[in-house]
PDB file of all heavy atoms in Angstrom:
ATOM      1  N   ASP S 532      10.240  58.347   8.628  1.00 97.00           N
ATOM      2  CA  ASP S 532       9.668  57.053   8.757  1.00 97.00           C
ATOM      3  C   ASP S 532      10.144  56.093   7.650  1.00 97.00           C
ATOM      4  O   ASP S 532      10.486  54.908   7.943  1.00 97.00           O
ATOM      5  CB  ASP S 532       8.051  57.156   8.711  1.00 97.00           C
ATOM      6  CG  ASP S 532       7.477  57.717   9.993  1.00 97.00           C
ATOM      7  OD1 ASP S 532       8.159  57.605  10.938  1.00 97.00           O
ATOM      8  OD2 ASP S 532       6.413  58.266   9.934  1.00 97.00           O
ATOM      9  N   ILE S 535      13.785  55.138   8.344  1.00 98.00           N
ATOM     10  CA  ILE S 535      13.951  54.118   9.342  1.00 98.00           C
ATOM     11  C   ILE S 535      13.515  52.723   8.954  1.00 98.00           C
ATOM     12  O   ILE S 535      14.207  51.810   9.266  1.00 98.00           O
ATOM     13  CB  ILE S 535      12.995  54.570  10.559  1.00 98.00           C
ATOM     14  CG1 ILE S 535      13.564  55.896  11.242  1.00 98.00           C
ATOM     15  CG2 ILE S 535      12.868  53.482  11.631  1.00 98.00           C
ATOM     16  CD1 ILE S 535      12.667  56.562  12.219  1.00 98.00           C
ATOM     17  N   PRO S 555      18.550  49.132  17.811  1.00 97.00           N
ATOM     18  CA  PRO S 555      17.904  50.372  18.428  1.00 97.00           C
ATOM     19  C   PRO S 555      16.443  50.281  18.098  1.00 97.00           C
ATOM     20  O   PRO S 555      15.983  49.752  17.173  1.00 97.00           O
ATOM     21  CB  PRO S 555      18.582  51.504  17.686  1.00 97.00           C
ATOM     22  CG  PRO S 555      19.030  50.940  16.369  1.00 97.00           C
ATOM     23  CD  PRO S 555      19.365  49.439  16.664  1.00 97.00           C
ATOM     24  N   ALA S 556      15.651  50.930  18.996  1.00 96.00           N
ATOM     25  CA  ALA S 556      14.271  51.050  18.747  1.00 96.00           C
ATOM     26  C   ALA S 556      14.021  52.188  17.661  1.00 96.00           C
ATOM     27  O   ALA S 556      14.932  52.957  17.491  1.00 96.00           O
ATOM     28  CB  ALA S 556      13.546  51.492  20.033  1.00 96.00           C
ATOM     29  N   ASP S 557      12.899  52.150  17.045  1.00 97.00           N
ATOM     30  CA  ASP S 557      12.632  53.135  16.012  1.00 97.00           C
ATOM     31  C   ASP S 557      12.816  54.570  16.436  1.00 97.00           C
ATOM     32  O   ASP S 557      13.354  55.358  15.797  1.00 97.00           O
ATOM     33  CB  ASP S 557      11.188  52.989  15.468  1.00 97.00           C
ATOM     34  CG  ASP S 557      11.102  51.750  14.547  1.00 97.00           C
ATOM     35  OD1 ASP S 557      12.132  51.046  14.353  1.00 97.00           O
ATOM     36  OD2 ASP S 557      10.009  51.461  14.063  1.00 97.00           O
ATOM     37  N   GLU S 558      12.388  54.780  17.723  1.00 95.00           N
ATOM     38  CA  GLU S 558      12.498  56.240  18.190  1.00 95.00           C
ATOM     39  C   GLU S 558      13.917  56.584  18.440  1.00 95.00           C
ATOM     40  O   GLU S 558      14.305  57.753  18.305  1.00 95.00           O
ATOM     41  CB  GLU S 558      11.639  56.352  19.511  1.00 95.00           C
ATOM     42  CG  GLU S 558      10.160  56.301  19.238  1.00 95.00           C
ATOM     43  CD  GLU S 558       9.761  57.056  17.976  1.00 95.00           C
ATOM     44  OE1 GLU S 558      10.026  58.228  17.844  1.00 95.00           O
ATOM     45  OE2 GLU S 558       9.178  56.420  16.951  1.00 95.00           O
ATOM     46  N   GLU S 559      14.740  55.591  18.773  1.00 95.00           N
ATOM     47  CA  GLU S 559      16.214  56.003  18.880  1.00 95.00           C
ATOM     48  C   GLU S 559      16.722  56.300  17.514  1.00 95.00           C
ATOM     49  O   GLU S 559      17.605  57.237  17.389  1.00 95.00           O
ATOM     50  CB  GLU S 559      16.942  54.708  19.451  1.00 95.00           C
ATOM     51  CG  GLU S 559      17.010  54.571  20.905  1.00 95.00           C
ATOM     52  CD  GLU S 559      17.748  53.242  21.320  1.00 95.00           C
ATOM     53  OE1 GLU S 559      17.164  52.154  21.390  1.00 95.00           O
ATOM     54  OE2 GLU S 559      18.996  53.377  21.497  1.00 95.00           O
ATOM     55  N   MET S 560      16.392  55.544  16.590  1.00 97.00           N
ATOM     56  CA  MET S 560      16.830  55.833  15.160  1.00 97.00           C
ATOM     57  C   MET S 560      16.300  57.169  14.735  1.00 97.00           C
ATOM     58  O   MET S 560      17.110  57.989  14.129  1.00 97.00           O
ATOM     59  CB  MET S 560      16.272  54.731  14.238  1.00 97.00           C
ATOM     60  CG  MET S 560      17.018  53.436  14.281  1.00 97.00           C
ATOM     61  SD  MET S 560      18.747  53.600  13.862  1.00 97.00           S
ATOM     62  CE  MET S 560      18.726  53.532  12.149  1.00 97.00           C
ATOM     63  N   ARG S 561      15.154  57.515  15.031  1.00 97.00           N
ATOM     64  CA  ARG S 561      14.602  58.828  14.628  1.00 97.00           C
ATOM     65  C   ARG S 561      15.375  59.988  15.225  1.00 97.00           C
ATOM     66  O   ARG S 561      15.637  60.949  14.567  1.00 97.00           O
ATOM     67  CB  ARG S 561      13.053  58.899  15.101  1.00 97.00           C
ATOM     68  CG  ARG S 561      12.401  60.139  14.620  1.00 97.00           C
ATOM     69  CD  ARG S 561      10.999  60.246  15.157  1.00 97.00           C
ATOM     70  NE  ARG S 561      10.205  59.010  14.911  1.00 97.00           N
ATOM     71  CZ  ARG S 561       9.611  58.811  13.801  1.00 97.00           C
ATOM     72  NH1 ARG S 561       9.586  59.669  12.818  1.00 97.00           N
ATOM     73  NH2 ARG S 561       8.973  57.573  13.589  1.00 97.00           N
ATOM     74  N   ALA S 562      15.817  59.806  16.455  1.00 96.00           N
ATOM     75  CA  ALA S 562      16.536  60.771  17.113  1.00 96.00           C
ATOM     76  C   ALA S 562      17.878  61.016  16.424  1.00 96.00           C
ATOM     77  O   ALA S 562      18.485  62.038  16.555  1.00 96.00           O
ATOM     78  CB  ALA S 562      16.693  60.527  18.621  1.00 96.00           C
ATOM     79  N   LEU S 563      18.407  59.934  15.912  1.00 97.00           N
ATOM     80  CA  LEU S 563      19.695  60.042  15.238  1.00 97.00           C
ATOM     81  C   LEU S 563      19.711  60.560  13.789  1.00 97.00           C
ATOM     82  O   LEU S 563      20.719  60.953  13.263  1.00 97.00           O
ATOM     83  CB  LEU S 563      20.352  58.610  15.224  1.00 97.00           C
ATOM     84  CG  LEU S 563      20.749  58.037  16.553  1.00 97.00           C
ATOM     85  CD1 LEU S 563      21.069  56.554  16.480  1.00 97.00           C
ATOM     86  CD2 LEU S 563      21.982  58.863  17.148  1.00 97.00           C
ATOM     87  N   LEU S 564      18.469  60.523  13.172  1.00 97.00           N
ATOM     88  CA  LEU S 564      18.397  60.867  11.846  1.00 97.00           C
ATOM     89  C   LEU S 564      19.001  62.222  11.414  1.00 97.00           C
ATOM     90  O   LEU S 564      19.699  62.366  10.431  1.00 97.00           O
ATOM     91  CB  LEU S 564      16.905  60.847  11.357  1.00 97.00           C
ATOM     92  CG  LEU S 564      16.474  59.674  10.481  1.00 97.00           C
ATOM     93  CD1 LEU S 564      17.267  58.419  10.694  1.00 97.00           C
ATOM     94  CD2 LEU S 564      15.026  59.432  10.581  1.00 97.00           C
TER      95      LEU S 564
END
Side-chain angles (χ1 to χ4, degrees):
Chain S
D532 286 335
I535 290 168
D557 284 359
E558 290 319 301
E559 275 180 272
M560 284 298 277
R561 185 184 307 276
L563 290 169
L564 253 32

